[in-house]
Amino acid sequence: VKVSGGGETTITDNYGVFLLSNAAFTGDFCYIKAEKNGYFIGSNTVHGQAGQELLTEITMQAQDNIVVYPSGEAKEIVLSNGSVVSFPANAIKTLDDKPYTGNVNLTSVYLDPTAANFAQVTPGGDLRAYNAQGQDVMLYSYGMVGVELRDDAGNQLQLADGQKADISMPVPTGMQGKAPATIPLWYFDENKGVWIEEGEAKLQNGKYVGTVSHFTYWNCDVPGNRAKLK
């Protein structure tokens, strides 16, 4: 696995062990990212100070749920938990902003905030975010969906400018009693390692429903204040 963070890059050994020496910290944290074909990007945030020796673990999600469809057709993807992602026809572009015609290889995953391993698989690890006003907040998640689009050669694709996709995520049973009627949507910036507020979702028949204009991980969350325990 390729692992990068703090301006340093390395490759794990066969046991998944890696060492980043002299990695730069941003304030009191360092964002670590892991990449391997066939897996969603894994990441975690190490908290501490530069010059210390710190340990971290990263859990990667296999891209098992692969759907192939022609870009000229509309497509609705239903995940195992009942989440739905709907694409309009002719809505895909290449990363150099050219209209894409061909097969779309779509992989998706749902992350359940009530699952025992949620903290281990959450992108970035600590749910640190910037709200629409640019304020540094922490998130309380009601569910996440990750989507990745590629062509047949493995090149990454994206939603075309001006196009929207619909997302529907069921609220876990134990969280429905306190789920707000409207909740902010947040996307994960895989380069910066933080969640960014963009849009909102509405609660409809036990599901959060919203629209998005690009794909990475999308998260339905209530923001709160950060706290540091010493």
Side-chain angles (χ1 to χ4, degrees):
V1 176
K2 175 186 174 182
V3 181
S4 57
E8 301 294 324
T9 300
T10 189
I11 303 294
T12 69
D13 66 13
N14 291 337
Y15 299 98
V17 177
F18 66 91
L19 173 66
L20 293 174
S21 299
N22 302 316
F25 274 60
T26 302
D28 64 350
F29 70 91
C30 182
Y31 170 61
I32 311 294
K33 181 168 65 173
E35 301 171 85
K36 183 177 176 66
N37 289 339
Y39 291 82
F40 287 96
I41 291 175
S43 58
N44 206 348
T45 301
V46 178
H47 292 270
Q49 297 294 329
Q52 296 176 330
E53 292 184 356
L54 301 163
L55 299 176
T56 189
E57 287 188 354
I58 297 175
T59 301
M60 302 181 73
Q61 297 280 320
Q63 294 179 335
D64 296 326
N65 183 26
I66 301 176
V67 176
V68 182
Y69 75 96
S71 63
E73 297 180 3
K75 187 65 176 179
E76 182 177 274
I77 309 298
V78 181
L79 282 71
S80 59
N81 77 308
S83 293
V84 178
V85 184
S86 300
F87 293 84
N90 299 306
I92 308 300
K93 70 174 184 178
T94 63
L95 291 192
D96 56 358
D97 293 326
K98 296 178 181 177
Y100 175 73
T101 57
N103 286 334
V104 178
N105 295 263
L106 185 151
T107 57
S108 57
V109 64
Y110 170 75
L111 301 185
D112 183 350
T114 65
N117 71 337
F118 181 67
Q120 283 72 47
V121 297
T122 295
D126 61 0
L127 284 174
R128 190 172 57 91
Y130 292 116
N131 64 16
Q133 292 74 42
Q135 298 168 322
D136 192 352
V137 297
M138 299 296 291
L139 303 180
Y140 181 80
S141 178
Y142 281 80
M144 306 180 187
V145 167
V147 174
E148 187 173 288
L149 311 169
R150 294 187 181 272
D151 63 16
D152 288 335
N155 299 306
Q156 194 169 355
L157 302 170
Q158 196 47 270
L159 274 177
D161 297 342
Q163 296 287 349
K164 301 279 188 178
D166 297 321
I167 291 182
S168 171
M169 279 187 272
V171 177
T173 303
M175 304 179 74
Q176 290 182 6
K178 54 185 176 180
T182 302
I183 195 168
L185 278 170
W186 312 74
Y187 71 89
F188 187 66
D189 188 319
E190 292 174 339
N191 294 317
K192 297 179 180 178
V194 294
W195 295 87
I196 309 293
E197 182 180 359
E198 186 177 296
E200 63 180 22
K202 296 184 182 300
L203 189 61
Q204 299 177 5
N205 299 318
K207 299 180 179 180
Y208 277 124
V209 179
T211 60
V212 301
S213 60
H214 55 93
F215 274 102
T216 168
Y217 277 91
W218 283 92
N219 197 356
C220 292
D221 298 75
V222 174
N225 296 324
R226 290 186 67 190
K228 181 181 287 187
L229 301 183
K230 187 178 285 189

